[in-house]
Amino acid sequence: MVQTFTQGRRDRSVPPHLVNGVSKYGYALVSSDYRLAPQTGVREILQDVKDCIAFIRNELAAKLGGDALDPTRLVVSGSSAGGYLTLLTGLYVEPKPSALLCIYPITDPLGQFFSSPQPDEIVDPALVAEFLNVDGEVVGNNAPGPRDKMYNHMLENANYAQLLQVSGDEFRISKNIDRCGLPPTYIVHGDADIDVGVDQVDEVVGVMVGLGLEVVYKRPRGVAHSFDLTEDITMDDMYEFMQKYL
């Protein structure tokens, strides 16, 4: 899960290490689209993810036949918005996944980073006006084009929670860990990330540590967003963590 909630598609953004890991580590990889905001809110997007997990657990093994897949051994992973959905599955999917692998995840659309303007790139509002219409066409992905500017437009205007239809605490990760728990979790987030502030993860990890939950946190210095989208990044320590729970 590596879309940005407002734009993207699974076949353009799955990092090479996830694809290469299929042969290297012997897992089955399932990548899914979900409906995009703001035409759909995070509650409905999470339901898309829940439906995907239910399909994996209840139908996919039978469709593949034989012993090709053990649906009881499920790890959820995602980057950025996908990392946020990964954490939400850890909170709200039962039975919980065996482990979570979160790569520079969003954790709180109402947090300081997303409620403060981040004008990294100024976007002409006319480019994205049609995609801001909440009554517009509901889509699960988009071709390359103007919609790809939606995330930058959101950072500039600090309106992520509004676009995702988030209010209250239900979808703020750190606010729900004590009540819901989380399975063993690996998180990596570079401290030079200007697309998702690293303070988002710092808070979540602090809560997990305080509650005695298992978490491995890598915070590489000078590393920006999307650092893992090249062939030379193998994320070996993340997969070593994964293998402990599969």
mmCIF file with all atom_site columns, all heavy atoms in Angstrom, residues 50-64:
data_model
loop_
_atom_site.group_PDB
_atom_site.id
_atom_site.type_symbol
_atom_site.label_atom_id
_atom_site.label_alt_id
_atom_site.label_comp_id
_atom_site.label_asym_id
_atom_site.label_entity_id
_atom_site.label_seq_id
_atom_site.pdbx_PDB_ins_code
_atom_site.Cartn_x
_atom_site.Cartn_y
_atom_site.Cartn_z
_atom_site.occupancy
_atom_site.B_iso_or_equiv
_atom_site.pdbx_formal_charge
_atom_site.auth_seq_id
_atom_site.auth_comp_id
_atom_site.auth_asym_id
_atom_site.auth_atom_id
_atom_site.pdbx_PDB_model_num
ATOM 1   N N   . LYS A 1 50 ? -9.529  -3.556  4.656  1.00 0.00 ? 50 LYS A N   1
ATOM 2   C CA  . LYS A 1 50 ? -10.106 -4.684  5.395  1.00 0.00 ? 50 LYS A CA  1
ATOM 3   C C   . LYS A 1 50 ? -10.673 -5.727  4.436  1.00 0.00 ? 50 LYS A C   1
ATOM 4   O O   . LYS A 1 50 ? -10.534 -6.943  4.657  1.00 0.00 ? 50 LYS A O   1
ATOM 5   C CB  . LYS A 1 50 ? -11.202 -4.188  6.338  1.00 0.00 ? 50 LYS A CB  1
ATOM 6   C CG  . LYS A 1 50 ? -10.706 -3.415  7.545  1.00 0.00 ? 50 LYS A CG  1
ATOM 7   C CD  . LYS A 1 50 ? -11.883 -2.969  8.419  1.00 0.00 ? 50 LYS A CD  1
ATOM 8   C CE  . LYS A 1 50 ? -11.421 -2.279  9.686  1.00 0.00 ? 50 LYS A CE  1
ATOM 9   N NZ  . LYS A 1 50 ? -12.578 -1.841  10.518 1.00 0.00 ? 50 LYS A NZ  1
ATOM 10  N N   . ASP A 1 51 ? -11.319 -5.260  3.371  1.00 0.00 ? 51 ASP A N   1
ATOM 11  C CA  . ASP A 1 51 ? -11.869 -6.195  2.384  1.00 0.00 ? 51 ASP A CA  1
ATOM 12  C C   . ASP A 1 51 ? -10.761 -6.983  1.703  1.00 0.00 ? 51 ASP A C   1
ATOM 13  O O   . ASP A 1 51 ? -10.907 -8.190  1.437  1.00 0.00 ? 51 ASP A O   1
ATOM 14  C CB  . ASP A 1 51 ? -12.674 -5.430  1.333  1.00 0.00 ? 51 ASP A CB  1
ATOM 15  C CG  . ASP A 1 51 ? -13.974 -4.854  1.884  1.00 0.00 ? 51 ASP A CG  1
ATOM 16  O OD1 . ASP A 1 51 ? -14.406 -5.268  2.976  1.00 0.00 ? 51 ASP A OD1 1
ATOM 17  O OD2 . ASP A 1 51 ? -14.548 -3.964  1.222  1.00 0.00 ? 51 ASP A OD2 1
ATOM 18  N N   . CYS A 1 52 ? -9.645  -6.315  1.412  1.00 0.00 ? 52 CYS A N   1
ATOM 19  C CA  . CYS A 1 52 ? -8.512  -7.004  0.810  1.00 0.00 ? 52 CYS A CA  1
ATOM 20  C C   . CYS A 1 52 ? -7.962  -8.076  1.751  1.00 0.00 ? 52 CYS A C   1
ATOM 21  O O   . CYS A 1 52 ? -7.684  -9.203  1.327  1.00 0.00 ? 52 CYS A O   1
ATOM 22  C CB  . CYS A 1 52 ? -7.417  -5.990  0.459  1.00 0.00 ? 52 CYS A CB  1
ATOM 23  S SG  . CYS A 1 52 ? -5.919  -6.726  -0.236 1.00 0.00 ? 52 CYS A SG  1
ATOM 24  N N   . ILE A 1 53 ? -7.811  -7.733  3.016  1.00 0.00 ? 53 ILE A N   1
ATOM 25  C CA  . ILE A 1 53 ? -7.292  -8.704  3.987  1.00 0.00 ? 53 ILE A CA  1
ATOM 26  C C   . ILE A 1 53 ? -8.261  -9.873  4.142  1.00 0.00 ? 53 ILE A C   1
ATOM 27  O O   . ILE A 1 53 ? -7.841  -11.036 4.219  1.00 0.00 ? 53 ILE A O   1
ATOM 28  C CB  . ILE A 1 53 ? -7.022  -8.012  5.328  1.00 0.00 ? 53 ILE A CB  1
ATOM 29  C CG1 . ILE A 1 53 ? -5.813  -7.069  5.189  1.00 0.00 ? 53 ILE A CG1 1
ATOM 30  C CG2 . ILE A 1 53 ? -6.776  -9.033  6.442  1.00 0.00 ? 53 ILE A CG2 1
ATOM 31  C CD1 . ILE A 1 53 ? -5.514  -6.237  6.415  1.00 0.00 ? 53 ILE A CD1 1
ATOM 32  N N   . ALA A 1 54 ? -9.557  -9.589  4.166  1.00 0.00 ? 54 ALA A N   1
ATOM 33  C CA  . ALA A 1 54 ? -10.546 -10.666 4.256  1.00 0.00 ? 54 ALA A CA  1
ATOM 34  C C   . ALA A 1 54 ? -10.464 -11.583 3.042  1.00 0.00 ? 54 ALA A C   1
ATOM 35  O O   . ALA A 1 54 ? -10.572 -12.819 3.166  1.00 0.00 ? 54 ALA A O   1
ATOM 36  C CB  . ALA A 1 54 ? -11.949 -10.074 4.382  1.00 0.00 ? 54 ALA A CB  1
ATOM 37  N N   . PHE A 1 55 ? -10.256 -11.005 1.859  1.00 0.00 ? 55 PHE A N   1
ATOM 38  C CA  . PHE A 1 55 ? -10.101 -11.816 0.644  1.00 0.00 ? 55 PHE A CA  1
ATOM 39  C C   . PHE A 1 55 ? -8.867  -12.714 0.750  1.00 0.00 ? 55 PHE A C   1
ATOM 40  O O   . PHE A 1 55 ? -8.916  -13.909 0.418  1.00 0.00 ? 55 PHE A O   1
ATOM 41  C CB  . PHE A 1 55 ? -9.993  -10.901 -0.567 1.00 0.00 ? 55 PHE A CB  1
ATOM 42  C CG  . PHE A 1 55 ? -9.623  -11.621 -1.836 1.00 0.00 ? 55 PHE A CG  1
ATOM 43  C CD1 . PHE A 1 55 ? -10.560 -12.363 -2.534 1.00 0.00 ? 55 PHE A CD1 1
ATOM 44  C CD2 . PHE A 1 55 ? -8.319  -11.563 -2.322 1.00 0.00 ? 55 PHE A CD2 1
ATOM 45  C CE1 . PHE A 1 55 ? -10.213 -13.034 -3.697 1.00 0.00 ? 55 PHE A CE1 1
ATOM 46  C CE2 . PHE A 1 55 ? -7.970  -12.237 -3.480 1.00 0.00 ? 55 PHE A CE2 1
ATOM 47  C CZ  . PHE A 1 55 ? -8.918  -12.969 -4.174 1.00 0.00 ? 55 PHE A CZ  1
ATOM 48  N N   . ILE A 1 56 ? -7.755  -12.146 1.225  1.00 0.00 ? 56 ILE A N   1
ATOM 49  C CA  . ILE A 1 56 ? -6.530  -12.941 1.376  1.00 0.00 ? 56 ILE A CA  1
ATOM 50  C C   . ILE A 1 56 ? -6.754  -14.089 2.352  1.00 0.00 ? 56 ILE A C   1
ATOM 51  O O   . ILE A 1 56 ? -6.365  -15.236 2.088  1.00 0.00 ? 56 ILE A O   1
ATOM 52  C CB  . ILE A 1 56 ? -5.377  -12.042 1.855  1.00 0.00 ? 56 ILE A CB  1
ATOM 53  C CG1 . ILE A 1 56 ? -4.977  -11.053 0.761  1.00 0.00 ? 56 ILE A CG1 1
ATOM 54  C CG2 . ILE A 1 56 ? -4.167  -12.876 2.276  1.00 0.00 ? 56 ILE A CG2 1
ATOM 55  C CD1 . ILE A 1 56 ? -4.042  -9.947  1.241  1.00 0.00 ? 56 ILE A CD1 1
ATOM 56  N N   . ARG A 1 57 ? -7.397  -13.794 3.452  1.00 0.00 ? 57 ARG A N   1
ATOM 57  C CA  . ARG A 1 57 ? -7.567  -14.800 4.502  1.00 0.00 ? 57 ARG A CA  1
ATOM 58  C C   . ARG A 1 57 ? -8.610  -15.856 4.167  1.00 0.00 ? 57 ARG A C   1
ATOM 59  O O   . ARG A 1 57 ? -8.477  -17.014 4.564  1.00 0.00 ? 57 ARG A O   1
ATOM 60  C CB  . ARG A 1 57 ? -7.936  -14.103 5.816  1.00 0.00 ? 57 ARG A CB  1
ATOM 61  C CG  . ARG A 1 57 ? -6.747  -13.420 6.485  1.00 0.00 ? 57 ARG A CG  1
ATOM 62  C CD  . ARG A 1 57 ? -7.146  -12.645 7.725  1.00 0.00 ? 57 ARG A CD  1
ATOM 63  N NE  . ARG A 1 57 ? -5.962  -12.403 8.567  1.00 0.00 ? 57 ARG A NE  1
ATOM 64  C CZ  . ARG A 1 57 ? -5.934  -11.553 9.584  1.00 0.00 ? 57 ARG A CZ  1
ATOM 65  N NH1 . ARG A 1 57 ? -7.019  -10.848 9.889  1.00 0.00 ? 57 ARG A NH1 1
ATOM 66  N NH2 . ARG A 1 57 ? -4.830  -11.394 10.292 1.00 0.00 ? 57 ARG A NH2 1
ATOM 67  N N   . ASN A 1 58 ? -9.631  -15.462 3.430  1.00 0.00 ? 58 ASN A N   1
ATOM 68  C CA  . ASN A 1 58 ? -10.777 -16.361 3.248  1.00 0.00 ? 58 ASN A CA  1
ATOM 69  C C   . ASN A 1 58 ? -10.935 -16.948 1.858  1.00 0.00 ? 58 ASN A C   1
ATOM 70  O O   . ASN A 1 58 ? -11.622 -17.961 1.698  1.00 0.00 ? 58 ASN A O   1
ATOM 71  C CB  . ASN A 1 58 ? -12.073 -15.617 3.612  1.00 0.00 ? 58 ASN A CB  1
ATOM 72  C CG  . ASN A 1 58 ? -12.067 -15.092 5.031  1.00 0.00 ? 58 ASN A CG  1
ATOM 73  O OD1 . ASN A 1 58 ? -11.556 -15.745 5.932  1.00 0.00 ? 58 ASN A OD1 1
ATOM 74  N ND2 . ASN A 1 58 ? -12.619 -13.914 5.226  1.00 0.00 ? 58 ASN A ND2 1
ATOM 75  N N   . GLU A 1 59 ? -10.304 -16.342 0.833  1.00 0.00 ? 59 GLU A N   1
ATOM 76  C CA  . GLU A 1 59 ? -10.551 -16.787 -0.529 1.00 0.00 ? 59 GLU A CA  1
ATOM 77  C C   . GLU A 1 59 ? -9.299  -17.051 -1.355 1.00 0.00 ? 59 GLU A C   1
ATOM 78  O O   . GLU A 1 59 ? -9.296  -17.932 -2.212 1.00 0.00 ? 59 GLU A O   1
ATOM 79  C CB  . GLU A 1 59 ? -11.406 -15.749 -1.269 1.00 0.00 ? 59 GLU A CB  1
ATOM 80  C CG  . GLU A 1 59 ? -12.759 -15.483 -0.648 1.00 0.00 ? 59 GLU A CG  1
ATOM 81  C CD  . GLU A 1 59 ? -13.564 -14.470 -1.438 1.00 0.00 ? 59 GLU A CD  1
ATOM 82  O OE1 . GLU A 1 59 ? -13.587 -14.573 -2.685 1.00 0.00 ? 59 GLU A OE1 1
ATOM 83  O OE2 . GLU A 1 59 ? -14.152 -13.570 -0.821 1.00 0.00 ? 59 GLU A OE2 1
ATOM 84  N N   . LEU A 1 60 ? -8.231  -16.299 -1.129 1.00 0.00 ? 60 LEU A N   1
ATOM 85  C CA  . LEU A 1 60 ? -7.094  -16.357 -2.036 1.00 0.00 ? 60 LEU A CA  1
ATOM 86  C C   . LEU A 1 60 ? -6.429  -17.722 -2.049 1.00 0.00 ? 60 LEU A C   1
ATOM 87  O O   . LEU A 1 60 ? -6.063  -18.234 -3.116 1.00 0.00 ? 60 LEU A O   1
ATOM 88  C CB  . LEU A 1 60 ? -6.074  -15.273 -1.658 1.00 0.00 ? 60 LEU A CB  1
ATOM 89  C CG  . LEU A 1 60 ? -4.851  -15.160 -2.575 1.00 0.00 ? 60 LEU A CG  1
ATOM 90  C CD1 . LEU A 1 60 ? -5.277  -14.925 -4.025 1.00 0.00 ? 60 LEU A CD1 1
ATOM 91  C CD2 . LEU A 1 60 ? -3.934  -14.038 -2.099 1.00 0.00 ? 60 LEU A CD2 1
ATOM 92  N N   . ALA A 1 61 ? -6.258  -18.327 -0.881 1.00 0.00 ? 61 ALA A N   1
ATOM 93  C CA  . ALA A 1 61 ? -5.588  -19.631 -0.824 1.00 0.00 ? 61 ALA A CA  1
ATOM 94  C C   . ALA A 1 61 ? -6.332  -20.667 -1.653 1.00 0.00 ? 61 ALA A C   1
ATOM 95  O O   . ALA A 1 61 ? -5.717  -21.459 -2.378 1.00 0.00 ? 61 ALA A O   1
ATOM 96  C CB  . ALA A 1 61 ? -5.454  -20.087 0.630  1.00 0.00 ? 61 ALA A CB  1
ATOM 97  N N   . ALA A 1 62 ? -7.650  -20.659 -1.562 1.00 0.00 ? 62 ALA A N   1
ATOM 98  C CA  . ALA A 1 62 ? -8.448  -21.627 -2.322 1.00 0.00 ? 62 ALA A CA  1
ATOM 99  C C   . ALA A 1 62 ? -8.325  -21.370 -3.820 1.00 0.00 ? 62 ALA A C   1
ATOM 100 O O   . ALA A 1 62 ? -8.271  -22.317 -4.614 1.00 0.00 ? 62 ALA A O   1
ATOM 101 C CB  . ALA A 1 62 ? -9.903  -21.544 -1.889 1.00 0.00 ? 62 ALA A CB  1
ATOM 102 N N   . LYS A 1 63 ? -8.262  -20.112 -4.215 1.00 0.00 ? 63 LYS A N   1
ATOM 103 C CA  . LYS A 1 63 ? -8.133  -19.786 -5.632 1.00 0.00 ? 63 LYS A CA  1
ATOM 104 C C   . LYS A 1 63 ? -6.778  -20.229 -6.184 1.00 0.00 ? 63 LYS A C   1
ATOM 105 O O   . LYS A 1 63 ? -6.666  -20.626 -7.344 1.00 0.00 ? 63 LYS A O   1
ATOM 106 C CB  . LYS A 1 63 ? -8.331  -18.288 -5.851 1.00 0.00 ? 63 LYS A CB  1
ATOM 107 C CG  . LYS A 1 63 ? -9.758  -17.818 -5.631 1.00 0.00 ? 63 LYS A CG  1
ATOM 108 C CD  . LYS A 1 63 ? -9.890  -16.328 -5.861 1.00 0.00 ? 63 LYS A CD  1
ATOM 109 C CE  . LYS A 1 63 ? -11.315 -15.848 -5.641 1.00 0.00 ? 63 LYS A CE  1
ATOM 110 N NZ  . LYS A 1 63 ? -12.265 -16.410 -6.639 1.00 0.00 ? 63 LYS A NZ  1
ATOM 111 N N   . LEU A 1 64 ? -5.720  -20.152 -5.356 1.00 0.00 ? 64 LEU A N   1
ATOM 112 C CA  . LEU A 1 64 ? -4.392  -20.557 -5.805 1.00 0.00 ? 64 LEU A CA  1
ATOM 113 C C   . LEU A 1 64 ? -4.237  -22.076 -5.804 1.00 0.00 ? 64 LEU A C   1
ATOM 114 O O   . LEU A 1 64 ? -3.475  -22.625 -6.598 1.00 0.00 ? 64 LEU A O   1
ATOM 115 C CB  . LEU A 1 64 ? -3.320  -19.930 -4.907 1.00 0.00 ? 64 LEU A CB  1
ATOM 116 C CG  . LEU A 1 64 ? -3.195  -18.407 -4.989 1.00 0.00 ? 64 LEU A CG  1
ATOM 117 C CD1 . LEU A 1 64 ? -2.189  -17.901 -3.968 1.00 0.00 ? 64 LEU A CD1 1
ATOM 118 C CD2 . LEU A 1 64 ? -2.775  -17.987 -6.390 1.00 0.00 ? 64 LEU A CD2 1
#
